[in-house]
Amino acid sequence: MLFRSMQIVADGGLVDGRRYLSEALLKEALTPQYEGDTEIFGYMSFGLGFGLHNHNFPSPTPTSVHWGGSGGFWAMADPTQHVAIAYAMNRGLEPDFSEDELELMDPRQLRFWDVMSELVPCL
């Protein structure tokens, strides 16, 4: 389901001949709805249900949207490249929210992020 939702974004709201989101709604979803400080992540930009590219919490590409969660799952879609990617593992790791070190991304998730940052712009 995670991949399918990103596939819908990557393909302009239309997948396998079925329209899930109108072009107008998708455009609204990819438009910043909130930009500002968050308690855990610092400064972020959000569309409707997606993290948007910004200097503090960048997407793999400036035109992609992304989101992840506890345990390390992560997904992104780049509508300009028509690429959707989702990553989920069998054994999730909990982030370290200690005061000494804030580890927000699972190391496996971070490696995946780095590879996508290099790969997607080349498509």
Side-chain angles (χ1 to χ4, degrees), residues 66-110:
H66 59 95
W67 200 248
S70 182
F73 87 83
W74 178 74
M76 65 145 294
D78 189 326
T80 62
Q81 299 292 341
H82 301 283
V83 173
I85 300 160
Y87 170 76
M89 70 298 299
N90 291 330
R91 299 173 85 182
L93 300 175
E94 291 299 318
D96 178 7
F97 290 108
S98 69
E99 290 183 30
D100 296 339
E101 184 176 331
L102 182 58
E103 183 70 35
L104 295 175
M105 294 180 85
D106 178 311
R108 300 166 295 180
Q109 180 188 33
L110 188 54

Side-chain angles (χ1 to χ4, degrees), residues 16-38:
D16 297 332
R18 181 173 180 191
R19 178 148 303 277
Y20 291 89
L21 297 173
S22 69
E23 291 179 13
L25 180 57
L26 185 58
K27 183 178 179 181
E28 183 71 14
L30 302 177
T31 300
Q33 305 294 319
Y34 172 80
E35 292 183 303
D37 286 324
T38 64

